[in-house]
Amino acid sequence: MSQGLNFSLTDEQEAFRGSVRQFVEDKVAPRAAEVDETDEFPWDLDELFVKNGFTGVSYPEEFGGYGGGALELALLIEEVSRWSAGIALVPAVNKLGAIPVLLAGTDEQKREVCEGISTGAHRMSYCLTEPSSGSDAGAMKSKAVKDGDDWILSGTKRFITNAGASDLYTYFAVSDPDAEKGRNITCFLVSKDMKGFEIGKKEDKMGIRGSPTREVILNDVRVPAENVVGEVNQGFPIAMRTLDFSRPSVAAQALGIAQGAFDFAVDYVKERQQFGKPIAAFQGMQFMFADMAMKIETARLAVYQAATAIDNSNWDLKPDPRVSYLAAIAKCYASDIAMSVTTDCVQALGGYGYVKEYPVERLMRDAKITQIYEGTNQIQRMVIARSIFGGR
Ligand SMILES: Cc1cc2nc3c(=O)[nH]c(=O)nc-3n(C[C@H](O)[C@H](O)[C@H](O)COP(=O)(O)OP(=O)(O)OC[C@H]3O[C@@H](n4cnc5c(N)ncnc54)[C@H](O)[C@@H]3O)c2cc1C
């Protein structure tokens, strides 16, 4: 008899999910609306993430992290996002900033990043997007000019998540203006303490509030050669592979947003009475919830499959088409269903869904960004199509 596929988490993973859920119910849920309203980075919760060991999840123990992999990180992000997608960006964006180092950095860089993030000594952000280059990231204008053993970096990055809260940045800049596009960029580790480092304007956003999105501006910042991540002019493949490895985190965030709105709406429709009965008794409502459940459960499979593909892959720069493909599918599908599920949950609460007294309107606003960042869903469809038909 066939053993079939194993679709269950291990006991350890279930226990981990349970402990995160308890933490989120106790500490994150009561603060979620306030963080959304004030749009201030929740330093107290960040500290609690560190104290509970959550910041070290998915970083290799050999470099000072607390172990676990992309799947454990997905569980953490999913659970936090059930209440606050902005706060879920604490672990998600540290990891996004760290992945270039984990993929291509030296052992020394890996230790600094893994141990630093785990213990709360470092917070990281990832600087790829610029004012005139988003989807076409390879068209960036940031420059890196060699000066002796050092590099002089200048440029402006836009829409950088947790900029200002982070102290360490993976920054991509053109290091060889004469080389072919995609082979002309280098990745650097930049510290906020370097002379000429500046944080620019803060965006006033629709959702994921509490997570600052700001410009990062480098004014002739001198960066030593030991802060180059990977090889010179290899930065673009590092940036793209980083996104492959990080997209399951965005997908997990989207999944958590959808699940959080769904759970709240299920309880609500069981209580709310119209025409003399709970609105959950109406077939028009029940079918909406059946459709939402199908989407959420399907997204969960896609997210965990993509995270597992990362955990089974080598952490190097060798292209792994299966990871790109599954990560793009998970990110695109989970974010599309997060948008549709949260919109339906607002509908299920009627007028109460539209007001800030209940969390579903916040979750609907939070859902939108998951269709946009780390590559819009148009770009994800291009990645998926490329896996099917080939070509760049
Ligand atoms: C809140 C927030 C946080 C972010 N965090 C970070 C971060 O931490 N680090 C970072 O580097 N970046 C970050 N970003 C940037 C984000 O990844 C980009 O906004 C995104 O990749 C899209 O780029 P763009 O905004 O320039 O849009 P554009 O590239 O100008 O796209 C505009 C529209 O055109 C479509 N489009 C573009 N090209 C094509 C094509 N070839 N085919 C079909 N349609 C296409 C897009 O899908 C989109 O709908 C963040 C953005 C936001 C809003």
Side-chain angles (χ1 to χ4, degrees):
M1 202 166 80
S2 146
Q3 277 202 306
L5 287 168
N6 184 359
F7 285 106
S8 41
L9 298 173
T10 63
D11 290 348
E12 213 180 355
Q13 287 163 337
E14 285 293 1
F16 173 67
R17 184 204 280 285
S19 71
V20 177
R21 182 166 293 193
Q22 193 60 53
F23 168 82
V24 171
E25 302 286 337
D26 292 347
K27 305 289 183 196
V28 177
R31 292 284 316 283
E34 180 207 329
V35 169
D36 177 62
E37 184 66 29
T38 60
D39 196 20
E40 275 168 21
F41 186 76
W43 284 104
D44 58 329
L45 291 173
D46 179 282
E47 251 172 53
L48 286 177
F49 273 81
V50 175
K51 268 197 191 138
N52 282 275
F54 295 149
T55 43
V57 170
S58 85
Y59 296 89
E61 283 165 300
E62 66 173 307
F63 296 114
Y66 301 160
L71 184 53
E72 283 74 15
L73 182 64
L75 294 173
L76 172 64
I77 293 169
E78 177 189 346
E79 288 300 322
V80 180
S81 301
R82 284 178 71 238
W83 278 97
S84 172
I87 297 170
L89 286 168
V90 167
V93 169
N94 277 336
K95 190 66 188 285
L96 173 64
I99 290 173
V101 173
L102 289 167
L103 285 171
T106 62
D107 283 359
E108 211 173 22
Q109 290 170 341
K110 286 180 190 167
R111 174 154 291 279
E112 170 157 24
V113 159
C114 294
E115 198 174 283
I117 290 174
S118 302
T119 59
H122 287 313
R123 284 160 192 81
M124 288 195 76
S125 294
Y126 172 86
C127 304
L128 183 67
T129 305
E130 298 191 355
S132 59
S133 59
S135 301
D136 185 9
M140 69 180 62
K141 294 190 176 134
S142 282
K143 276 191 317 192
V145 179
K146 194 107 176 45
D147 184 41
D149 281 345
D150 300 338
W151 291 83
I152 308 294
L153 267 61
S154 54
T156 297
K157 298 290 180 180
R158 174 148 307 161
F159 296 145
I160 304 308
T161 301
N162 289 357
S166 295
D167 63 302
L168 260 189
Y169 297 77
T170 32
Y171 194 103
F172 296 85
V174 174
S175 43
D176 184 353
D178 300 324
E180 192 190 332
K181 190 178 172 192
R183 293 169 195 258
N184 57 347
I185 288 166
T186 299
C187 177
F188 298 89
L189 258 181
V190 173
S191 155
K192 74 170 176 43
D193 297 327
M194 289 174 171
K195 194 161 168 266
F197 180 96
E198 192 186 324
I199 293 292
K201 75 170 169 125
K202 182 177 166 193
E203 307 294 344
D204 189 6
K205 305 192 299 294
M206 173 193 288
I208 53 164
R209 292 166 64 82
S211 162
T213 308
R214 306 185 72 140
E215 284 186 336
V216 171
I217 303 158
L218 302 189
N219 307 296
D220 292 334
V221 172
R222 182 172 286 277
V223 179
E226 66 254 28
N227 283 32
V228 169
V229 179
E231 285 172 29
V232 170
N233 295 333
Q234 205 187 30
F236 194 68
I238 295 173
M240 293 301 105
R241 193 140 162 80
T242 295
L243 294 176
D244 285 346
F245 274 56
S246 180
R247 280 174 184 149
S249 295
V250 177
Q253 186 186 33
L255 172 63
I257 293 169
Q259 186 72 60
F262 179 85
D263 292 343
F264 190 89
V266 167
D267 288 344
Y268 182 89
V269 298
K270 288 199 278 193
E271 290 291 321
R272 173 75 173 169
Q273 303 253 341
Q274 291 292 286
F275 304 99
K277 39 172 121 155
I279 56 174
F282 301 121
Q283 196 183 53
M285 276 283 141
Q286 291 182 355
F287 279 13
M288 236 168 93
F289 279 83
D291 283 342
M292 287 194 262
M294 285 192 274
K295 290 173 184 171
I296 291 170
E297 294 302 340
T298 312
R300 180 164 288 112
L301 292 178
V303 175
Y304 293 0
Q305 187 186 21
T308 304
I310 286 171
D311 287 335
N312 291 336
S313 75
N314 293 324
W315 278 76
D316 58 27
L317 291 178
K318 217 166 118 243
D320 184 343
R322 191 153 171 83
V323 166
S324 311
Y325 177 67
L326 293 176
I329 287 176
K331 192 273 189 191
C332 192
Y333 185 73
S335 59
D336 281 351
I337 72 101
M339 202 63 245
S340 82
V341 166
T342 53
T343 306
D344 284 349
C345 287
V346 167
Q347 191 69 19
L349 268 72
Y352 296 93
Y354 199 69
V355 296
K356 294 198 179 203
E357 190 179 344
Y358 295 100
V360 289
E361 69 82 32
R362 183 181 73 244
L363 291 163
M364 181 178 160
R365 286 186 285 110
D366 283 346
K368 186 62 207 171
I369 191 60
T370 62
Q371 294 181 303
I372 296 173
Y373 60 14
E374 295 200 23
T376 64
N377 280 4
Q378 284 75 27
I379 298 298
Q380 303 311 310
R381 286 177 168 89
M382 283 166 57
V383 172
I384 297 162
R386 201 152 59 218
S387 295
I388 302 167
F389 299 110
R392 259 208 74 79

